Amino acid sequence: VDVVKRLLHHSGMIIDNATPMSQGHLPGNTRITALKEPLVDDDRGISVSIRLLHPSRVDMKALVKGGNATQKMIDFLCMCLRYGISFVVAGATSSGKTTLLNALLTSIPDNKRIFTIESGSRELSLVKVKDGKVVNNVVHTLSRPSDDEGLNIAQEDLVVASLRFDPDIVVVGEIRDSEAYSAVEASLTGHTVVSTIHALAADAAHTRLALLCQKKFPIKFETSLSQAAQAFSLVVFAHRLEDSNRKIMDISECIVSGDGNREYRTLFRYAITENSIKNGKYVIKGHFEQPEIMSDSLKKRLLQYGAPTDVLKKFETKGADYK
């Protein structure tokens, strides 16, 4: 218990009988979560999870080389990120959502301002240093929970505050509460917002966003659902397969019609052709494919935000990668 208390002290967190659960971070973007009795058995005393994060070791080239995605998929997401298309990366815990977001955000030009918002511990690491000087424009922030309502600074407060910093991109580490409403509003009013969310593929991600928005502003659910889909028209679904390999399983676009109906297009996906167990090991084989191309409305938005026509043309033909 004394060792864990010293580890938590680094991020100003405590664990005791009054606070038997605590989350914090260690140097090098390492996340620590601790539980002590009575939350765990008395004979155990304390249980600790230390999650080592190495975002700098996984760049876009590594994602392609490791088979997480194709170069065309990565280039498509980088284009959308640079030219104002908000999206969320959905998936379960440890599916590689934050790692993917970290890698994609390194493609942003250094003179653009990135404002990040996280809770508990900082997993995003985007500051670039060259010859001892910071060369890019990044504002990293962490929420500060408090039992005193007047002192509590939630992710929602930081999303609202971020808009006063004239950000080019607002990054919410993970949407998990009423900050969903502020993130949706920010995107609908012209800001580029990217985040991760614990959800399955596109329709489930939009449903979860709408449910979280209801915590802040309980309007008609179908209206919340339509707004969530309009705000985050792209959903990237990341997944860790049974063989522990992480894949971008699909990238979907949602087209919302005037009457609020939603149509989903699968722009990219990973198609599994074999999933078996041989000699006690999983054998999973598959390939990436591009079933559909982006909608005319998405093309129009990209052009309005400055995407070159020759870059757009690369994604107007089907195929998992460049011909």
Side-chain angles (χ1 to χ4, degrees):
V1 173
D2 289 339
V3 170
V4 175
K5 284 182 177 179
R6 290 198 294 271
L7 292 173
L8 289 167
H9 182 71
H10 173 78
S11 52
M13 306 302 290
I14 61 172
I15 189 166
D16 53 25
N17 290 337
T19 310
M21 179 174 71
S22 187
Q23 297 181 357
H25 62 277
L26 304 173
N29 288 338
T30 297
R31 190 166 66 191
I32 177 171
T33 302
L35 305 173
K36 72 180 292 293
E37 48 82 25
L39 300 183
V40 297
D41 294 338
D42 291 343
D43 58 351
R44 171 71 66 178
I46 194 163
S47 182
V48 183
S49 168
I50 297 177
R51 186 176 180 187
L52 304 174
L53 301 167
H54 303 291
S56 60
R57 298 183 185 179
V58 183
D59 55 17
M60 290 181 287
K61 289 183 179 179
L63 290 173
V64 175
K65 186 177 180 180
N68 301 67
T70 66
Q71 187 64 53
K72 189 174 185 180
M73 293 164 69
I74 296 297
D75 289 349
F76 175 76
L77 292 174
C78 287
M79 175 186 68
C80 291
L81 184 59
R82 180 174 175 181
Y83 296 112
I85 306 300
S86 298
F87 63 84
V88 291
V89 182
T93 299
S94 215
S95 58
K97 301 185 299 296
T98 304
T99 299
L100 173 62
L101 207 53
N102 246 318
L104 295 174
L105 286 163
T106 61
S107 68
I108 298 301
D110 292 342
N111 64 331
K112 288 197 172 190
R113 177 170 294 157
I114 304 173
F115 194 108
T116 76
I117 299 157
E118 295 180 87
S119 176
S121 61
R122 186 159 70 80
E123 298 183 36
L124 296 166
S125 183
L126 302 173
V127 175
K128 299 178 185 177
V129 179
K130 185 177 181 180
D131 299 327
K133 294 182 179 180
V134 175
V135 295
N136 61 341
N137 193 343
V138 179
V139 181
H140 282 308
T141 65
L142 276 174
S143 62
R144 187 187 69 182
S146 174
D147 294 332
D148 186 334
E149 188 64 30
L151 298 177
N152 184 55
I153 301 175
Q155 285 197 134
E156 180 185 357
D157 301 314
L158 292 172
V159 173
V160 174
S162 72
L163 305 184
R164 301 180 187 128
F165 282 74
D166 190 25
D168 292 288
I169 298 174
V170 177
V171 186
V172 184
E174 180 189 334
I175 292 178
R176 62 180 74 176
D177 209 331
S178 56
E179 69 271 1
Y181 178 77
S182 298
V184 166
E185 282 294 299
S187 178
L188 290 175
T189 53
H191 297 87
T192 305
V193 183
V194 293
S195 184
T196 70
I197 190 168
H198 280 94
L200 296 177
D203 54 346
H206 288 145
T207 299
R208 178 156 167 73
L209 277 168
L211 288 169
L212 292 174
C213 287
Q214 293 280 305
K215 288 187 175 184
K216 177 70 175 178
F217 199 47
I219 58 175
K220 187 178 179 182
F221 182 73
E222 284 300 321
T223 303
S224 287
L225 191 57
S226 178
Q227 289 178 340
Q230 289 179 45
F232 296 100
S233 58
L234 284 182
V235 177
V236 183
F237 178 51
H239 184 59
R240 184 175 65 174
L241 299 172
E242 291 175 298
D243 61 359
S244 293
N245 283 318
R246 293 171 173 83
K247 301 285 185 185
I248 294 181
M249 297 302 291
D250 63 66
I251 301 174
S252 300
E253 179 194 354
C254 183
I255 306 159
V256 182
S257 61
D259 56 6
N261 288 326
R262 292 168 294 126
E263 174 199 344
Y264 288 94
R265 289 190 181 187
T266 303
L267 306 185
F268 299 92
R269 72 181 170 204
Y270 183 70
I272 295 176
T273 56
E274 180 186 351
N275 189 346
S276 59
I277 301 176
K278 296 180 180 179
N279 298 321
K281 293 184 178 180
Y282 288 102
V283 177
I284 300 177
K285 296 180 181 180
H287 60 271
F288 290 102
E289 56 188 23
Q290 186 179 359
E292 299 178 271
I293 60 174
M294 73 179 96
S295 67
D296 290 337
S297 59
L298 181 56
K299 291 178 195 174
K300 182 179 179 181
R301 287 171 60 195
L302 285 165
L303 287 169
Q304 287 175 332
Y305 282 115
T309 54
D310 60 331
V311 172
L312 278 174
K313 285 181 180 179
K314 295 178 181 179
F315 307 101
E316 291 179 351
T317 55
K318 296 181 181 180
D321 223 322
Y322 300 113
K323 298 295 183 181

PDB file of all heavy atoms in Angstrom, residues 213-227:
ATOM      1  N   CYS A 213     -25.367  12.633 -24.812  1.00  0.00           N
ATOM      2  CA  CYS A 213     -25.869  14.008 -24.988  1.00  0.00           C
ATOM      3  C   CYS A 213     -27.143  14.232 -24.172  1.00  0.00           C
ATOM      4  O   CYS A 213     -27.400  15.343 -23.686  1.00  0.00           O
ATOM      5  CB  CYS A 213     -26.151  14.286 -26.459  1.00  0.00           C
ATOM      6  SG  CYS A 213     -24.679  14.507 -27.482  1.00  0.00           S
ATOM      7  N   GLN A 214     -27.935  13.176 -24.021  1.00  0.00           N
ATOM      8  CA  GLN A 214     -29.183  13.283 -23.276  1.00  0.00           C
ATOM      9  C   GLN A 214     -28.945  13.655 -21.809  1.00  0.00           C
ATOM     10  O   GLN A 214     -29.808  14.245 -21.160  1.00  0.00           O
ATOM     11  CB  GLN A 214     -29.946  11.965 -23.347  1.00  0.00           C
ATOM     12  CG  GLN A 214     -30.460  11.597 -24.730  1.00  0.00           C
ATOM     13  CD  GLN A 214     -31.742  12.332 -25.085  1.00  0.00           C
ATOM     14  OE1 GLN A 214     -32.719  12.273 -24.362  1.00  0.00           O
ATOM     15  NE2 GLN A 214     -31.719  13.034 -26.199  1.00  0.00           N
ATOM     16  N   LYS A 215     -27.766  13.312 -21.275  1.00  0.00           N
ATOM     17  CA  LYS A 215     -27.450  13.661 -19.892  1.00  0.00           C
ATOM     18  C   LYS A 215     -27.418  15.178 -19.703  1.00  0.00           C
ATOM     19  O   LYS A 215     -27.762  15.684 -18.634  1.00  0.00           O
ATOM     20  CB  LYS A 215     -26.086  13.077 -19.495  1.00  0.00           C
ATOM     21  CG  LYS A 215     -26.065  11.573 -19.319  1.00  0.00           C
ATOM     22  CD  LYS A 215     -24.718  11.141 -18.765  1.00  0.00           C
ATOM     23  CE  LYS A 215     -24.690   9.657 -18.462  1.00  0.00           C
ATOM     24  NZ  LYS A 215     -23.407   9.253 -17.831  1.00  0.00           N
ATOM     25  N   LYS A 216     -26.982  15.880 -20.745  1.00  0.00           N
ATOM     26  CA  LYS A 216     -26.857  17.328 -20.660  1.00  0.00           C
ATOM     27  C   LYS A 216     -28.113  18.033 -21.130  1.00  0.00           C
ATOM     28  O   LYS A 216     -28.542  19.038 -20.546  1.00  0.00           O
ATOM     29  CB  LYS A 216     -25.655  17.766 -21.513  1.00  0.00           C
ATOM     30  CG  LYS A 216     -25.437  19.275 -21.571  1.00  0.00           C
ATOM     31  CD  LYS A 216     -24.962  19.817 -20.239  1.00  0.00           C
ATOM     32  CE  LYS A 216     -24.646  21.296 -20.360  1.00  0.00           C
ATOM     33  NZ  LYS A 216     -24.221  21.880 -19.072  1.00  0.00           N
ATOM     34  N   PHE A 217     -28.700  17.525 -22.205  1.00  0.00           N
ATOM     35  CA  PHE A 217     -29.828  18.220 -22.827  1.00  0.00           C
ATOM     36  C   PHE A 217     -30.822  17.182 -23.321  1.00  0.00           C
ATOM     37  O   PHE A 217     -30.757  16.745 -24.468  1.00  0.00           O
ATOM     38  CB  PHE A 217     -29.309  19.092 -23.976  1.00  0.00           C
ATOM     39  CG  PHE A 217     -30.261  20.166 -24.395  1.00  0.00           C
ATOM     40  CD1 PHE A 217     -30.886  20.991 -23.470  1.00  0.00           C
ATOM     41  CD2 PHE A 217     -30.536  20.363 -25.747  1.00  0.00           C
ATOM     42  CE1 PHE A 217     -31.758  21.991 -23.873  1.00  0.00           C
ATOM     43  CE2 PHE A 217     -31.405  21.368 -26.158  1.00  0.00           C
ATOM     44  CZ  PHE A 217     -32.015  22.180 -25.216  1.00  0.00           C
ATOM     45  N   PRO A 218     -31.752  16.748 -22.479  1.00  0.00           N
ATOM     46  CA  PRO A 218     -32.673  15.647 -22.817  1.00  0.00           C
ATOM     47  C   PRO A 218     -33.790  16.049 -23.781  1.00  0.00           C
ATOM     48  O   PRO A 218     -34.939  16.203 -23.410  1.00  0.00           O
ATOM     49  CB  PRO A 218     -33.237  15.246 -21.450  1.00  0.00           C
ATOM     50  CG  PRO A 218     -33.179  16.489 -20.636  1.00  0.00           C
ATOM     51  CD  PRO A 218     -31.952  17.216 -21.098  1.00  0.00           C
ATOM     52  N   ILE A 219     -33.413  16.232 -25.043  1.00  0.00           N
ATOM     53  CA  ILE A 219     -34.412  16.512 -26.074  1.00  0.00           C
ATOM     54  C   ILE A 219     -34.878  15.192 -26.672  1.00  0.00           C
ATOM     55  O   ILE A 219     -34.503  14.118 -26.190  1.00  0.00           O
ATOM     56  CB  ILE A 219     -33.822  17.428 -27.173  1.00  0.00           C
ATOM     57  CG1 ILE A 219     -32.584  16.767 -27.818  1.00  0.00           C
ATOM     58  CG2 ILE A 219     -33.463  18.794 -26.611  1.00  0.00           C
ATOM     59  CD1 ILE A 219     -32.003  17.549 -28.988  1.00  0.00           C
ATOM     60  N   LYS A 220     -35.687  15.252 -27.702  1.00  0.00           N
ATOM     61  CA  LYS A 220     -36.160  14.038 -28.364  1.00  0.00           C
ATOM     62  C   LYS A 220     -34.963  13.212 -28.821  1.00  0.00           C
ATOM     63  O   LYS A 220     -34.042  13.725 -29.456  1.00  0.00           O
ATOM     64  CB  LYS A 220     -37.037  14.414 -29.560  1.00  0.00           C
ATOM     65  CG  LYS A 220     -37.722  13.228 -30.226  1.00  0.00           C
ATOM     66  CD  LYS A 220     -38.612  13.699 -31.363  1.00  0.00           C
ATOM     67  CE  LYS A 220     -39.280  12.510 -32.061  1.00  0.00           C
ATOM     68  NZ  LYS A 220     -40.125  12.965 -33.201  1.00  0.00           N
ATOM     69  N   PHE A 221     -34.978  11.903 -28.508  1.00  0.00           N
ATOM     70  CA  PHE A 221     -33.802  11.079 -28.767  1.00  0.00           C
ATOM     71  C   PHE A 221     -33.432  11.045 -30.244  1.00  0.00           C
ATOM     72  O   PHE A 221     -32.246  11.082 -30.597  1.00  0.00           O
ATOM     73  CB  PHE A 221     -34.027   9.652 -28.262  1.00  0.00           C
ATOM     74  CG  PHE A 221     -32.822   8.764 -28.454  1.00  0.00           C
ATOM     75  CD1 PHE A 221     -31.702   8.917 -27.670  1.00  0.00           C
ATOM     76  CD2 PHE A 221     -32.808   7.802 -29.458  1.00  0.00           C
ATOM     77  CE1 PHE A 221     -30.579   8.119 -27.855  1.00  0.00           C
ATOM     78  CE2 PHE A 221     -31.699   6.998 -29.647  1.00  0.00           C
ATOM     79  CZ  PHE A 221     -30.587   7.159 -28.844  1.00  0.00           C
ATOM     80  N   GLU A 222     -34.409  10.971 -31.125  1.00  0.00           N
ATOM     81  CA  GLU A 222     -34.111  10.934 -32.560  1.00  0.00           C
ATOM     82  C   GLU A 222     -33.381  12.192 -33.011  1.00  0.00           C
ATOM     83  O   GLU A 222     -32.539  12.147 -33.899  1.00  0.00           O
ATOM     84  CB  GLU A 222     -35.404  10.757 -33.361  1.00  0.00           C
ATOM     85  CG  GLU A 222     -35.963   9.334 -33.335  1.00  0.00           C
ATOM     86  CD  GLU A 222     -34.977   8.322 -33.911  1.00  0.00           C
ATOM     87  OE1 GLU A 222     -34.308   8.637 -34.903  1.00  0.00           O
ATOM     88  OE2 GLU A 222     -34.881   7.220 -33.353  1.00  0.00           O
ATOM     89  N   THR A 223     -33.701  13.321 -32.373  1.00  0.00           N
ATOM     90  CA  THR A 223     -33.007  14.573 -32.699  1.00  0.00           C
ATOM     91  C   THR A 223     -31.556  14.504 -32.244  1.00  0.00           C
ATOM     92  O   THR A 223     -30.643  14.899 -32.980  1.00  0.00           O
ATOM     93  CB  THR A 223     -33.708  15.768 -32.032  1.00  0.00           C
ATOM     94  OG1 THR A 223     -35.071  15.810 -32.453  1.00  0.00           O
ATOM     95  CG2 THR A 223     -33.019  17.080 -32.395  1.00  0.00           C
ATOM     96  N   SER A 224     -31.335  13.986 -31.030  1.00  0.00           N
ATOM     97  CA  SER A 224     -29.968  13.813 -30.530  1.00  0.00           C
ATOM     98  C   SER A 224     -29.168  12.875 -31.431  1.00  0.00           C
ATOM     99  O   SER A 224     -28.002  13.111 -31.729  1.00  0.00           O
ATOM    100  CB  SER A 224     -29.985  13.260 -29.103  1.00  0.00           C
ATOM    101  OG  SER A 224     -30.377  14.227 -28.178  1.00  0.00           O
ATOM    102  N   LEU A 225     -29.821  11.805 -31.876  1.00  0.00           N
ATOM    103  CA  LEU A 225     -29.164  10.825 -32.732  1.00  0.00           C
ATOM    104  C   LEU A 225     -28.774  11.452 -34.069  1.00  0.00           C
ATOM    105  O   LEU A 225     -27.671  11.243 -34.578  1.00  0.00           O
ATOM    106  CB  LEU A 225     -30.093   9.634 -32.950  1.00  0.00           C
ATOM    107  CG  LEU A 225     -29.506   8.382 -33.603  1.00  0.00           C
ATOM    108  CD1 LEU A 225     -28.317   7.859 -32.815  1.00  0.00           C
ATOM    109  CD2 LEU A 225     -30.569   7.301 -33.711  1.00  0.00           C
ATOM    110  N   SER A 226     -29.663  12.236 -34.633  1.00  0.00           N
ATOM    111  CA  SER A 226     -29.391  12.910 -35.902  1.00  0.00           C
ATOM    112  C   SER A 226     -28.247  13.907 -35.753  1.00  0.00           C
ATOM    113  O   SER A 226     -27.363  13.988 -36.616  1.00  0.00           O
ATOM    114  CB  SER A 226     -30.656  13.618 -36.395  1.00  0.00           C
ATOM    115  OG  SER A 226     -30.398  14.308 -37.596  1.00  0.00           O
ATOM    116  N   GLN A 227     -28.241  14.661 -34.645  1.00  0.00           N
ATOM    117  CA  GLN A 227     -27.175  15.634 -34.413  1.00  0.00           C
ATOM    118  C   GLN A 227     -25.823  14.948 -34.232  1.00  0.00           C
ATOM    119  O   GLN A 227     -24.803  15.426 -34.755  1.00  0.00           O
ATOM    120  CB  GLN A 227     -27.510  16.481 -33.182  1.00  0.00           C
ATOM    121  CG  GLN A 227     -28.645  17.462 -33.394  1.00  0.00           C
ATOM    122  CD  GLN A 227     -28.968  18.247 -32.132  1.00  0.00           C
ATOM    123  OE1 GLN A 227     -28.630  17.850 -31.020  1.00  0.00           O
ATOM    124  NE2 GLN A 227     -29.624  19.384 -32.301  1.00  0.00           N
TER     125      GLN A 227
END
